[in-house]
Amino acid sequence: MAATDKTIVIGVTGGIACYKAVELVRLLVKAGHRVQVIMTRGAMEFVTPLTFQTLSGHPVASETFNLTQESEIGHINLADSADLFVIAPATANIIGKIAGGIADDLLTTVLMATQAPVLIAPAMNIHMYDNPILQENLRKLHRVGYHILEPAEGFLACGYEGKGRLPDPEVIAAEVDRLLRKNDLTGERFLITAGPTREAIDPVRYISNRSSGKMGYALARAAARRGADVVLVSGPTALACPAGVRLVSVTTAVEMHDAVNKEFGAATAVVAAAAVADYRPVATAEQKIKRGKGPMELRLEPNPDIVKALGEHKNGKLLIGFAAETQDLTANAAKKLREKNLDMIVANNVAEAGSGFDGDTNIATILDRNGGTQALPLMSKDDLADRIYDHFLALKSGR
Ligand code: PMT
C-alpha cells in the first residue's frame, strides 16, 4: 500500500479491548498512514509499548515529564502533527476527564492541544456505558464536535452480554477512513439554515415548532470538515456553533429571510434544514395578553417562503431543501422540489420513530432534479449530512 500523507495519533487507554487497538494500528499502517501511539499507564498494564512501537514503527509516547520522550516526540508536536486523533479503547475515565477539561497526563494534555478531529471509541461494561454521567459526558463531547463511535453489542469481557464492546478494528479503520477522506468540498461556500423560528404573540408567548437544530448543525459541521466555507443561519437552539463555522443567529422567519438574502450572494450552495414557521401573528401584543373567559382568536399571516424565493433567482447556485412530512413522503417532497425549483430535497417523515425532530438520528430519502432517488436507512444526523454532500457532489459532477 502506498504511503498517505496522513498522521493518525492513537490514544490507547486501559481496558481489556487494548488488544484490538494493536490490530487497529496494524491495519492503519498497512493502509499507508503514519501512526503515532500514546498510551496511558492503564493501557500499559494490558499491552506493552513494545508491541505498538514494533507495529507502528515509531516510539510510543506515554510520559509528560520524560525528557527523552519530550525531546524525541514532543507533546505539542504530537498535537500539531495529527490529521486525526483516535482514542480506542476509550474508558469511562478518559471520557470523563476529557469532558471535564482535565489534562493530567500525556494523552489528555495532547488532546487538549490538538486541533485535529477526534474520534472516540468507548469500550466498557454495559452498566458503565449506561451510566447517565457517562452518557452526559458523551453528549457533551458530541456537542463540541468530537466524533463518537457507538460500541458494539455482544459478549463482554466482564461476563455480561450487551452494549459496550469496542467495535472490530476493521470498523474503526473504516470510520478513520471516512473522517480522513475528504477535503472534497473545498472551494464551496455553503449557506445553511437550521433550527426553528419563533413568532411572537406577546412578550412572553410565541408560535414555534420542535426543531432542535441538530440536523442543520450536523450539516454545517460536515461541510466545514470537508473543507467548505460555511455560514450557518440559525433560529434559537441550545447547540454550540461547530468549529470553523460562522454563525448568524436569528429568531423570526422574517429575520431568517433577511439574513439568508444577505448571505446568498457569496454562497455557492444553500442547504435549508430550518423549520421555518409558515405563519406569524398579524400583530404582536405589546403587553402580556390577559386570560379572558371565552375562546381566543389569533389571526395569522403568511411568512415569506425563504427557499422558494431563492429558487426564483438561483444564479447557478445549487439549492438543497428539506421536506418534513407525515404522509406521502416522496410524492410531497417531489412536489416541493419542483415548486421551489430545488436541485435536491431531503425528505424525512417526522412522525416516524428515529426520524425528524430533535433526536440524533434521521431516516431520509434524497430526491434530485434529475429524478434520482436514494432511500437511506436510519443513521446519525452526522452520517446523513455526509450522504447528502456525497449526493450533492455526484449531482454536480453529473454522475
Ligand atoms: O432540527 P432538528 O430537530 O434536527 O430536526 C430536523 C428537521 C426535521 C427540522 C429537518 O430534518 C427538516 O425536515 N427541516 C425542514 C423543515 C420544514 O420546514 O420542512 P417544510 O417541508 O415545511 O419546508 C420545505 C422547505 O422549505 C425546507 O427546506 C424549509 O427550510 C423551507 N421553508 C419552509 C417554509 C418557509 N416559510 N420558508 C422556507 O424556506
Side-chain angles (χ1 to χ4, degrees):
M1 175 64 67
T4 68
D5 56 354
K6 303 293 182 199
T7 297
I8 301 167
V9 176
I10 302 211
V12 185
T13 68
I16 183 63
C18 277
Y19 76 94
K20 288 190 181 172
V22 172
E23 177 62 5
L24 175 65
V25 169
R26 195 188 68 78
L27 286 175
L28 295 176
V29 169
K30 192 169 160 218
H33 302 305
R34 181 177 186 278
V35 178
Q36 176 71 60
V37 177
I38 303 177
M39 296 179 79
T40 61
R41 289 209 172 146
M44 289 191 284
E45 297 289 333
F46 289 91
V47 182
T48 66
L50 184 62
T51 310
F52 284 112
Q53 181 167 316
T54 309
L55 286 169
S56 69
H58 297 285
V60 168
S62 57
E63 301 293 335
T64 318
F65 301 112
N66 179 310
L67 290 180
T68 315
Q69 283 190 12
E70 188 55 24
S71 63
E72 280 178 3
I73 312 172
H75 70 282
I76 295 298
N77 186 30
L78 269 175
D80 289 348
S81 66
D83 292 292
L84 180 68
F85 214 115
V86 183
I87 305 191
T91 57
N93 181 48
I94 192 84
I95 291 166
K97 283 210 243 178
I98 308 167
I102 294 170
D104 67 348
D105 63 4
L106 184 71
L107 178 56
T108 45
T109 306
V110 176
L111 252 178
M112 186 73 89
T114 193
Q115 292 195 302
V118 179
L119 173 65
I120 295 186
M124 64 199 71
N125 161 273
I126 179 172
H127 300 311
M128 290 170 85
Y129 185 69
D130 284 344
N131 186 300
I133 297 173
L134 185 276
Q135 286 299 323
E136 182 52 36
N137 285 339
L138 285 176
R139 277 194 293 278
K140 181 173 179 186
L141 295 183
H142 178 70
R143 271 199 305 277
V144 298
Y146 287 68
H147 303 276
I148 313 288
L149 191 61
E150 287 253 313
E153 292 196 28
F155 179 75
L156 303 174
C158 54
Y160 282 99
E161 218 27 78
K163 200 166 188 176
R165 280 168 68 90
L166 186 70
D168 287 341
E170 291 76 10
V171 174
I172 307 175
E175 187 61 12
V176 165
D177 220 37
R178 189 181 76 82
L179 292 173
L180 279 178
R181 198 180 332 154
K182 345 215 163 169
N183 255 337
D184 52 4
L185 293 178
T186 303
E188 296 288 351
R189 291 188 300 278
F190 272 96
L191 167 55
I192 298 173
T193 69
T197 63
R198 284 182 187 168
E199 314 299 326
I201 297 169
D202 68 13
V204 297
R205 304 179 180 98
Y206 55 79
I207 299 172
S208 191
N209 57 64
R210 291 172 43 221
S211 171
S212 62
K214 286 181 181 172
M215 190 66 244
Y217 280 60
L219 283 154
R221 199 162 35 244
R225 175 170 47 75
R226 290 170 71 157
D229 280 344
V230 183
V231 55
L232 177 63
V233 177
S234 174
T237 75
L239 305 174
C241 179
V245 169
R246 182 162 63 85
L247 177 68
V248 179
S249 296
V250 297
T251 303
T252 66
V254 169
E255 285 172 17
M256 185 172 279
H257 172 260
D258 293 348
V260 164
N261 282 341
K262 195 167 158 215
E263 301 290 342
F264 186 58
T268 56
V270 177
V271 192
V276 186
D278 282 313
Y279 290 91
R280 63 175 182 267
V282 169
T284 302
E286 275 183 25
Q287 305 300 331
K288 183 182 172 196
I289 299 170
K290 297 285 178 221
R291 184 191 163 93
K293 287 216 167 80
M296 178 194 157
E297 276 184 16
L298 190 62
R299 272 184 66 76
L300 303 176
E301 63 186 356
N303 269 322
D305 188 327
I306 302 170
V307 95
K308 184 157 192 254
L310 300 182
E312 285 160 14
H313 309 95
K314 279 162 84 166
N315 293 333
K317 300 170 202 289
L318 230 121
L319 294 191
I320 305 174
F322 270 71
E325 303 294 340
T326 55
Q327 59 185 347
D328 300 330
L329 185 68
T330 45
N332 285 335
K335 189 160 174 271
K336 284 180 182 165
L337 178 82
R338 267 192 323 274
E339 288 179 355
K340 297 187 188 225
N341 193 23
L342 303 173
D343 298 282
M344 282 168 58
I345 194 155
V346 182
N348 44 192
N349 183 342
V350 290
E352 195 176 354
S355 177
F357 292 112
D358 199 26
D360 292 321
T361 60
N362 209 346
I363 306 169
T365 299
I366 303 176
L367 284 73
D368 67 42
R369 61 174 186 231
N370 297 337
T373 304
Q374 193 185 5
L376 297 166
L378 175 90
M379 60 181 70
S380 69
K381 286 180 174 169
D382 285 310
D383 284 344
L384 176 58
D386 270 323
R387 302 295 281 267
I388 292 167
Y389 293 129
D390 290 345
H391 201 113
F392 163 88
L393 287 170
L395 186 68
K396 264 196 103 167
S397 65
R399 274 180 281 138

